[in-house]
């Protein structure tokens, strides 16, 4: 069984390799489901590890419906990743109704030019995942990362096995994978599992400090953009 570790740093990537992981999915910001890692992280990880590196390419947090500008950024990030020689891209796009955005996803797979493509956990927002599996297979997607539309993949084991029986795509179980339940996925006949294996370190005291996290930016149904009117009002006031 393939074990992929979602690594959010150079330290995490090195530890995943040393632990015996088969592959790394590199990303930043696990707290929002992951976004594209920085150029510096990409370069240092590629230099430091000897196992395959797949990269999550997601230009922001929140939902998976991208504007033209966001899609340009997404495609530019893929080009940069491919120039470094990564072994896979993890991405995908949905419509405003949380249907599979076939056109955008097809463009992304084509851009990868045969490099392995994983459709990420946006899959768990789809209303008809079985139907879309066939579409993704036709597009050329190699792997689908999914929790089976549950918070923990172990609660959707039968669903994941059913999906795997209907497609040549590798169904990679992710979400709540641990040493206590990993064997269940192997015994069920699945090919791959995905976990971060993360814990907290490098703690500091935050007493009497103002917070830098803003909960309004963590809502998945909308995205914050700079507003022309608001900025212009400030500039007009001081210029």
């Amino acid at each position: 069984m393939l074990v992929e570790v979602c690594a959010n740093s150079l330290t995490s990537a090195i530890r995943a390799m040393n632990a015996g992981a088969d592959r790394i999915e590199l990303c930043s910001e696990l707290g929002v489901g992951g976004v594209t890692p920085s150029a510096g992280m990409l370069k240092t990880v590629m230099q430091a590890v000897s196992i395959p590196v797949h990269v999550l390419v997601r230009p922001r947090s929140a939902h998976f419906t991208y504007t033209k500008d966001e899609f340009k950024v997404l495609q530019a990030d893929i080009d940069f990743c491919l120039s470094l020689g990564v072994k896979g891209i993890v991405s995908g796009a949905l419509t405003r109704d949380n249907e599979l955005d076939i056109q955008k996803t097809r463009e992304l797979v084509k851009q990868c030019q045969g490099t392995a493509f994983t459709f990420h956990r946006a899959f768990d927002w789809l209303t008809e995942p079985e139907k879309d599996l066939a579409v993704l297979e036709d597009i050329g997607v190699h792997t689908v990362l999914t929790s089976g539309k549950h918070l923990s993949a172990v609660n959707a084991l039968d669903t994941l096995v059913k999906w795997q029986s209907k497609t040549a795509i590798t169904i990679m179980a992710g979400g709540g994978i641990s040493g206590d339940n990993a064997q269940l996925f192997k015994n069920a006949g699945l090919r791959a599992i995905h976990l971060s294996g993360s814990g907290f370190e490098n703690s500091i005291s935050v007493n009497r400090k103002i917070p830098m996290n803003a909960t309004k930016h963590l809502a998945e149904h909308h995205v914050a953009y700079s507003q022309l009117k608001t900025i212009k009002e400030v500039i007009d006031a001081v210029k």
Side-chain angles (χ1 to χ4, degrees), residues 3-9 11-17 19 21 23-25 27 30 145 173-182 193-201:
V3 178
E4 178 182 270
V5 173
C6 180
N8 65 337
S9 64
T11 299
S12 295
I14 292 172
R15 289 180 181 179
M17 177 184 66
R23 188 169 77 202
I24 289 165
E25 184 210 68
C27 72
L30 293 176
L145 173 60
I177 306 295
S178 69
D180 294 330
N181 60 32
I193 52 176
H194 167 103
L195 73 155
S196 69
S198 57
F200 294 98
E201 304 176 38

Side-chain angles (χ1 to χ4, degrees), residues 4 23-26 36-37 42 52-58 74-92 105 107-120 140-145 172:
E4 178 182 270
R23 188 169 77 202
I24 289 165
E25 184 210 68
L26 192 64
T36 308
L42 277 162
V53 175
H54 289 199
V55 180
L56 175 64
V57 181
R58 183 184 176 207
L74 199 159
Q75 290 182 304
D77 282 335
I78 288 179
D79 282 341
F80 179 69
C81 290
L82 295 178
S83 74
L84 294 180
V86 304
K87 298 301 183 183
I89 297 296
V90 183
S91 195
T105 302
E107 286 183 46
L108 297 178
V109 174
K110 183 178 180 181
Q111 183 182 352
C112 289
Q113 301 176 348
T115 298
F117 189 96
T118 296
F119 193 91
H120 54 35
V141 168
H142 300 86
T143 302
V144 166
L145 173 60
M172 181 163 58

Side-chain angles (χ1 to χ4, degrees), residues 59-81:
R60 54 158 174 74
S61 61
H63 55 71
F64 305 97
T65 304
Y66 300 119
T67 65
K68 289 182 179 180
D69 287 345
E70 289 167 342
F71 198 66
K72 287 179 182 177
V73 172
L74 199 159
Q75 290 182 304
D77 282 335
I78 288 179
D79 282 341
F80 179 69
C81 290

